[in-house]
Amino acid sequence: MMAPRSRLLSPALQILRHRCCFSSLVSPASKAVLYDEQGAPDEVLRVADLPPANLSEHDICVRMLAAPINPSDINRIEGVYPVRPPLPGAIGGCEGVGQVHALGPAVTAKLSPGDWVIPSPATFGTWQTYIVKDERMWHKVRSDVPMEYAATVTVNPLTALRMLQDFVQLNPGDAIVQNGATSMVGQCVIQLAKVLGIHTINIIRDRPGSEEAKDKLKQLGADEVFTESQLDIKRVKSLLGALPEPALGFNCVGGNAASLLLKFLRHGGTMVTYGGMSKRPVTAPTSYFIFKDISLRGFWLNKWINAEKAEDCRKMIDYLLDLVHEGKLKYEMESIPFSEFRLGLEKALGKHGSQPKQVVRF
């Protein structure tokens, strides 16, 4: 019997033949939202066609399904975020979910076309229809949850989980306090705390619909929800009733909202700042340090992810999506088609008033 033709070739020719055949493996052409300079997102962003990309041996081509417009994405485009992609030709977005479209011939990951994957850690360039990256950048996730949740699990829910576990040893029956409670992180904190048996005291802004917002947060499991004006009293702890004084607080607003949060903290309590939506500084009375021994800390998810093993982060992501599947974790989002990206961007920028998280559906 005659030997297969490939075995008759010298090793050098076999390698050359393999490379020549493999060079034809490319992604489909893609559409992307990109920018060439930092600036106002509604001015510098544009939608462009991208040519097919070659797949290397260990690359995976993913057809994107959905990706959110996060505040950190906006900050990157504006040039005010510490980590920014190189310019020109930067593609927006840093998290999302996609479907495996094609695999390079040397991919060892247990993936098949059709599997759902997310970039893990979150990476630049998710606002495009097809992405080609090394297999190590992709993490397979369950596909029996709404794709909007898989698209948004990496940033806000993971932030909420880590803040609950990384700063203070909390036990069932303890309490935490937070401002910005209607944000996605805030909604996640309420539900994850409930799973852990932790009480939550929540602070929201005074605005039309605040009573409705209170009801929604209590349906998620919030113990108490107060508007900022309700806390304009000397003894806010009288509002706690039977709840214990919080050992931990989460601040994403700054300014007066941070000062109100500090009023609740018990002696030796800790406030963690992870955002500054009001763009106002955090101020604390000297007496809080001397007589209450409070601690002020900060949390930045990027730094945490870089310090942890990828496998540990992925286990937490799987845990969070398991909670979504069990109905124990949910949050408000608005899904929009890619063709309406400009409208979703305007909503994310606050040009249509307060809006839920915008998730682009490709």
Side-chain angles (χ1 to χ4, degrees), residues 90-320:
I91 299 173
C94 68
E95 70 170 332
V97 64
Q99 201 168 35
V100 173
H101 178 76
L103 303 99
V107 168
T108 58
K110 295 180 180 179
L111 290 172
S112 302
D115 286 344
W116 280 20
V117 291
I118 63 172
S120 179
T123 186
F124 302 129
T126 55
W127 294 351
Q128 58 183 313
T129 52
Y130 287 91
I131 301 178
V132 174
K133 287 188 181 292
D134 186 275
E135 61 177 312
R136 292 171 296 180
M137 299 297 295
W138 299 107
H139 173 52
K140 181 179 177 180
V141 296
R142 61 190 309 158
S143 58
D144 55 357
V145 296
M147 67 180 178
E148 290 84 0
Y149 282 90
T152 55
V153 69
T154 307
V155 175
N156 291 306
L158 190 55
T159 293
L161 179 62
R162 292 322 319 158
M163 291 197 303
L164 282 167
Q165 296 187 349
D166 287 354
F167 293 93
V168 173
Q169 178 62 51
L170 295 171
N171 300 308
D174 286 343
I176 66 99
V177 58
Q178 66 169 342
N179 56 35
T182 57
S183 68
M184 187 182 289
V185 172
Q187 294 175 59
C188 291
V189 164
I190 290 169
Q191 295 166 90
L192 293 174
K194 184 178 180 181
V195 170
L196 297 170
I198 307 299
H199 300 291
T200 60
I201 298 108
N202 303 274
I203 304 170
I204 63 175
R205 289 179 295 168
D206 289 276
R207 62 183 180 185
S210 58
E211 290 303 315
E212 182 184 355
K214 286 183 181 182
D215 291 339
K216 287 183 178 180
L217 294 181
K218 288 189 174 182
Q219 289 172 14
L220 293 179
D223 291 274
E224 293 289 350
V225 185
F226 302 107
T227 58
E228 293 181 9
S229 63
Q230 286 181 280
L231 304 180
D232 191 19
I233 58 176
K234 287 187 177 180
R235 297 187 58 81
V236 296
K237 291 178 183 177
S238 64
L239 302 172
L240 292 179
L243 293 178
E245 291 181 338
L248 182 63
F250 301 139
N251 165 50
C252 68
V253 181
N256 183 58
S259 301
L260 294 174
L261 187 156
L262 288 170
K263 287 184 177 182
F264 279 102
L265 289 181
R266 74 185 187 195
H267 185 276
T270 298
M271 182 176 79
V272 179
T273 293
Y274 67 98
M277 291 189 295
S278 71
K279 298 183 179 179
R280 295 177 180 175
V282 172
T283 58
T286 303
S287 61
Y288 282 17
F289 294 102
I290 298 173
F291 303 117
K292 292 182 65 176
D293 191 27
I294 62 166
S295 298
L296 302 183
R297 302 285 303 277
F299 180 83
W300 183 31
L301 184 65
N302 282 52
K303 183 177 179 181
W304 180 87
I305 288 176
N306 291 334
E308 295 296 317
K309 296 179 181 178
E311 191 60 33
D312 292 337
C313 295
R314 292 174 177 186
K315 286 179 181 177
M316 293 171 207
I317 287 169
D318 292 341
Y319 165 72
L320 291 166

Side-chain angles (χ1 to χ4, degrees), residues 53-89:
N54 290 319
L55 273 73
S56 299
E57 290 192 345
H58 291 277
D59 282 346
I60 295 176
C61 175
V62 172
R63 180 176 69 87
M64 291 302 292
L65 298 174
I69 304 176
N70 287 319
S72 58
D73 299 324
I74 301 298
N75 293 156
R76 283 185 176 91
I77 297 163
E78 293 171 332
V80 297
Y81 200 74
V83 179
R84 298 185 292 273
L87 297 173

